[in-house]
Amino acid sequence: MSSPSGVVIVDKPSAVTSHQVVGKLRRLLGTRKIGHAGTLDPMATGVLILGVNRATRMLGHLALQDKRYLATLRLGASSNTDDADGEVTPVADASALTRDTVDTALEPQRGDILQVPTTVSAIKVDGKRAYALARAGRASNSGPAP
């Protein structure tokens, strides 16, 4: 009897890597042939699309180009990893900002934009994840320097 094939949709929690999700599913289903339609950074939560056995062939068609992001940010602060996991440093007093000022400043980020991966993205640089390089104190050249 052959192993089942199909697509599995996972709501990936924060602090879990896409690779860890694949590993857990491999153990649960007893198969090695599992892939995903796009890595999510460890800190990110969201939909992870997995293909099992013969369904891995479909993953290229399921890796959609249009994505939406919901983020929470802290105005007046920065971190050494460009995310909430890094060491936060105050850089400015943001208490006088108004909603209109923030909306105006964010206008260029609305609509279709070309995303530049951050220093802590999951892309690979010289065979290592950019977020691992950033947390080790090395710039990955994938985006802004830490």
Side-chain angles (χ1 to χ4, degrees), residues 65-139:
Q65 299 302 314
D66 293 337
K67 298 179 183 179
R68 292 181 181 219
Y69 298 91
L70 176 63
T72 302
L73 59 110
R74 182 181 304 161
L75 297 174
S78 183
S79 82
N80 61 341
T81 57
D82 295 333
D83 64 18
D85 287 343
E87 182 180 326
V88 177
T89 306
V91 292
D93 178 9
S95 63
L97 292 176
T98 65
R99 174 72 185 243
D100 287 340
T101 304
V102 173
D103 281 342
T104 300
L106 289 176
E107 192 57 39
Q109 299 300 316
R110 294 188 177 101
D112 293 339
I113 60 170
L114 180 61
Q115 181 183 3
V116 176
T118 68
T119 305
V120 292
S121 74
I123 64 168
K124 286 194 174 180
V125 177
D126 296 328
K128 302 212 186 288
R129 296 285 181 197
Y131 62 76
L133 293 172
R135 289 192 173 88
R138 294 176 32 214

Side-chain angles (χ1 to χ4, degrees), residues 1-8 22 25-36 49-60 62:
M1 181 173 148
S2 65
S3 299
S5 296
V7 175
V8 177
V22 168
L25 191 59
R26 283 178 174 154
R27 288 187 296 280
L28 285 171
L29 299 179
T31 185
R32 298 278 316 144
K33 193 164 183 183
I34 296 179
H36 53 76
I49 302 171
L50 301 148
V52 180
N53 294 317
R54 289 181 30 213
T56 57
R57 297 180 205 167
M58 297 177 10
L59 292 176
L62 298 175

